[in-house]
Amino acid sequence: MPSYAAPTQDMQFVLHEVLNVSQSETPGYADLDRDFTAAILDEAGKIARDVLAPLNASGDAEGCRLENGVVRTPAGFHEAFAAVKDGGWPAIDCDPAYGGQGLPYIMSCATGEMFVSANMAFNMYQGLTHGAYSAIHAHGTEAQRMAYLPKLVTCDWTGTMNLTEPHCGTDLGMMRTRAEPQADGSYRITGQKIFISAGDHDLAENVIHLVLAKAPGGGEGTRGVSLFIVPKILVNDDGSLGARNAVSVGNIEEKMGIHGNATCVMNYDGATGWLLGDLHKGMRAMFTMMNEARLSVGLQGYAVAEAAYQSARSYAQDRLQGRAVTGAKNPDGPADPLIVHPDIRRNLLSQKAFVEGARMLTFWGASLVDRSNRAGDAAAEGLISLLTPVLKGFLTDKGFEAAVNAQQVFGGHGYIEEQGMSQFVRDARITMIYEGANGVQALDLVGRKLAAEGGKPMMAFFEMVKAFIKENESDEALAKDFLEPLKAASRDLQAAAMVFASEGMKNPDAALAGSYDFMHLFGHVCMGLMWARAARAAGAALTGGAGDADFYRAKIATGRYYMARELPATALHLARIRTGAAPVMDLAEAGF
């Protein structure tokens, strides 16, 4: 079965040589020196390797079950959840005023990646709790924050997000769940929600549901939607637990993957809830949680691919099959290892280049979140808002592709459950769907984010790429292998943006028909920028006589692969965008 080793050396490279976090002016970053981050990453890596990863396959096989109204999690999850809680890992970036450790969000991303790679289904229990914490922290009253946040920070209580209903997914304006105001200021919540991850379980004392519902007087569509705090068990004024609320699990969904996480049908039968944020402004409050969740799901996309890649790499190094066409590499054995064959190397390099580039891109995105939240940097806020659908959509699409490629390295053995590769594929698949399916991410990018603030964040991104290229153009090796491909890809992205600018208003179908390609084009340019930054950092390390020269040479070679073999996809995406709406819209519905 697969094993997992945390890529702490690569994480340290990203933090300290690509992003130079300890030199950043972002409040809290000066404390992130190498020794400090190494201590955190090493301890999180041990938990991931020794506690969570051994439960991944068994949790997948056993799954969750509903017994007499109680959801039971797989064997070993209780002990693992206690270990994660005791280590303080759920609290790493939470507000110290409510028991958190107050570290920057980027460190939560780094540790979260390890936990996802080791056991994605397990990590979702604490991951969703963090989203609920963030929504209450941002929009709750001080009384609500004091009542719920300390317990959510420790994961003594966990949290959920309740949006989807049987008849509506993305179109939340169609929801039927109702909230009736009561004399004491509470609301009675009635309705059904589906696909609720970690909706109920036996790992925590209480589950705090954040539920979208329609209260009277709000009008039609999403204008009438409000957000409510609905605890599984009511909380008394003194903070103790009281009576069971009128919320129950109707069923646990039978899913393709993430079997260790309880995805529930939740029934609200006049449950008591309290308004979170402003009445009829629930979408604004919910999007605090949704945007965080979308960044976390993008991380899931590459974190699962990392675990799959580790298994594929080991298999390719050990499995003897055939001889290298240039002569035997293992003359004393019956065959050469798979990794000598060019197509296997292509496959592995595509995975490696994706995973390492995605890590850089995600950590950079986390640094923008920190700059926005900790320094009030409006430019950083605009840029991460623009990039959020790209991070979610591109990284999960390519993460699933990488997991499939890792399975392919095993040949027929990859299709056998015993090897564990199918779990990576099955688990990765959901990331392309939940927290807004990737087609919706593409529509959000082109329909809303591209023109936000008059296009200022998009122009800032172009200027950032241009400035990086100009700043480093005197480095001949970097210019040839990295800057020229990046310049070409950036031109493709600018050309695509101009297509939307000229066609979007008069022919919106043309823009939307090209939105998915634009999301991927944008993602590739972001990855190209990350790899160019990595190559500069690795080159500087080699010039300075850094200790692990093999690591830095491998980094540059992997980056060259991405720039030469993956980044040219931008031209294909631009060509598709330029075809407009006709190829997509001309076929009559009856012809499908």
Side-chain angles (χ1 to χ4, degrees):
M1 298 302 293
S3 60
Y4 171 71
T8 53
Q9 182 182 18
D10 198 59
M11 290 182 172
Q12 287 283 79
F13 170 73
V14 176
L15 290 171
H16 297 289
E17 296 176 68
V18 178
L19 298 178
N20 298 308
V21 290
S22 62
Q23 299 172 32
S24 169
E25 295 180 356
T26 300
Y29 272 42
D31 297 330
L32 302 181
D33 61 52
R34 277 186 177 271
D35 290 342
F36 182 69
T37 59
I40 293 173
L41 297 179
D42 287 346
E43 286 303 311
K46 291 174 185 176
I47 290 278
R49 180 193 65 205
D50 299 335
V51 177
L52 304 187
L55 297 174
N56 196 36
S58 61
D60 178 63
E62 182 182 344
C64 299
R65 61 192 187 279
L66 181 61
E67 294 180 346
N68 300 318
V70 178
V71 174
R72 305 292 184 189
T73 52
F77 274 39
H78 270 280
E79 295 79 4
F81 203 67
V84 170
K85 287 171 55 180
D86 290 347
W89 298 108
I92 190 168
D93 67 324
C94 295
D95 190 340
Y98 306 100
Q101 298 178 36
L103 292 179
Y105 175 66
I106 196 170
M107 295 308 299
S108 178
C109 280
T111 57
E113 179 198 319
M114 301 182 201
F115 295 159
V116 171
S117 291
N119 196 324
M120 175 176 161
F122 174 90
N123 191 66
M124 290 171 65
Y125 292 102
Q126 68 180 45
L128 287 154
T129 301
H130 193 285
Y133 155 86
S134 296
I136 295 173
H137 189 276
H139 301 284
T141 65
E142 183 55 28
Q144 288 173 333
R145 290 194 288 265
M146 291 302 299
Y148 297 106
L149 294 189
K151 293 291 189 178
L152 291 173
V153 164
T154 61
C155 273
D156 287 337
W157 300 348
T158 62
T160 71
M161 176 168 52
N162 284 234
L163 289 79
T164 307
E165 299 184 8
H167 60 283
C168 72
T170 302
D171 190 355
L172 295 175
M174 295 174 61
M175 73 173 56
R176 296 171 183 163
T177 299
R178 298 292 171 182
E180 296 296 332
Q182 304 299 298
D184 64 356
S186 67
Y187 287 77
R188 288 176 59 86
I189 311 298
T190 302
Q192 184 180 78
K193 300 290 185 175
I194 63 171
F195 306 156
I196 308 306
S197 299
D200 197 51
H201 52 83
D202 54 0
L203 301 177
E205 301 170 336
N206 202 1
V207 181
I208 309 303
H209 301 287
L210 298 190
V211 183
L212 282 179
K214 288 190 173 182
E220 296 300 318
T222 57
R223 290 173 298 176
V225 171
S226 302
L227 185 61
F228 299 90
I229 301 173
V230 187
K232 171 184 172 180
I233 301 174
L234 296 172
V235 181
N236 296 321
D237 291 341
D238 63 0
S240 63
L241 296 180
R244 174 69 187 253
N245 207 352
V247 53
S248 61
V249 178
N251 189 30
I252 296 179
E253 304 284 7
E254 292 288 337
K255 310 186 298 294
M256 177 178 174
I258 53 170
H259 295 151
N261 195 269
T263 305
C264 300
V265 175
M266 303 300 302
N267 295 321
Y268 295 87
D269 300 307
T272 301
W274 288 268
L275 182 68
L276 177 60
D278 296 330
L279 186 65
H280 306 139
K281 302 293 184 181
M283 294 304 296
R284 183 167 65 90
M286 180 56 77
F287 266 103
T288 296
M289 193 172 184
M290 281 287 288
N291 285 332
E292 177 178 314
R294 285 171 176 172
L295 294 173
S296 297
V297 172
L299 182 149
Q300 286 180 336
Y302 83 83
V304 173
E306 165 71 41
Y309 166 69
Q310 289 189 18
S311 292
R313 179 187 60 200
S314 296
Y315 188 81
Q317 290 169 339
D318 295 339
R319 175 75 168 176
L320 302 181
Q321 290 281 285
R323 289 293 188 189
V325 294
T326 55
K329 306 301 182 186
N330 179 36
D332 296 331
D336 290 332
L338 279 172
I339 201 166
V340 307
H341 303 299
D343 192 61
I344 295 294
R345 294 173 66 84
R346 173 204 58 78
N347 190 333
L348 289 172
L349 267 169
S350 70
Q351 297 170 54
K352 178 179 172 65
F354 164 71
V355 168
E356 294 179 9
R359 178 175 297 118
M360 290 185 279
L361 180 54
T362 301
F363 284 20
W364 176 52
S367 75
L368 294 175
V369 172
D370 282 330
R371 276 170 45 194
S372 172
N373 292 342
R374 289 171 168 259
D377 188 329
E381 182 178 359
L383 190 53
I384 191 57
S385 178
L386 171 69
L387 292 173
T388 293
V390 179
L391 288 166
K392 196 282 184 185
F394 179 74
L395 295 187
T396 58
D397 276 354
K398 303 302 284 188
F400 175 73
E401 179 183 306
V404 171
N405 286 340
Q407 184 186 40
Q408 188 74 12
V409 171
F410 284 71
H413 291 283
Y415 202 65
I416 304 301
E417 288 293 335
E418 180 184 358
Q419 295 290 344
M421 299 307 291
S422 80
Q423 184 185 353
F424 295 131
V425 172
R426 290 184 285 104
D427 286 355
R429 185 65 183 90
I430 186 57
T431 64
M432 302 161 70
I433 299 172
Y434 62 13
E435 309 308 341
N438 286 355
V440 175
Q441 302 303 319
L443 296 180
D444 178 45
L445 175 63
V446 169
R448 296 177 62 245
K449 301 298 176 62
L450 190 58
E453 301 179 48
K456 186 177 179 181
M458 190 74 243
M459 294 305 299
F461 179 82
F462 287 135
E463 286 301 314
M464 182 188 308
V465 175
K466 181 179 178 181
F468 179 86
I469 292 170
K470 185 173 182 59
E471 178 185 342
N472 295 281
E473 60 189 2
S474 62
D475 185 330
E476 292 184 7
L478 194 67
K480 177 178 180 294
D481 294 332
F482 291 89
L483 302 187
E484 288 303 319
L486 177 60
K487 187 184 299 183
S490 182
R491 283 198 296 262
D492 288 342
L493 183 61
Q494 293 178 61
M498 289 302 297
V499 170
F500 295 142
S502 62
E503 296 291 328
M505 294 298 292
K506 61 184 180 183
N507 188 5
D509 278 346
L512 299 185
S515 61
Y516 212 94
D517 280 287
F518 186 78
M519 180 178 72
H520 274 251
L521 200 168
F522 202 166
H524 277 297
V525 175
C526 289
M527 291 277 274
L529 176 61
M530 294 301 106
W531 272 116
R533 288 179 173 177
R536 179 179 65 177
L542 288 170
T543 301
D548 192 348
D550 287 344
F551 172 84
Y552 294 109
R553 282 193 286 265
K555 187 64 65 177
I556 293 171
T558 305
R560 283 199 191 105
Y561 175 87
Y562 192 88
M563 306 304 278
R565 296 290 298 251
E566 303 288 342
L567 192 58
T570 60
L572 170 64
H573 291 302
L574 175 59
R576 289 173 174 169
I577 290 167
R578 283 174 165 162
T579 65
V584 175
M585 303 303 294
D586 280 356
L587 179 63
E589 291 181 15
F592 280 90

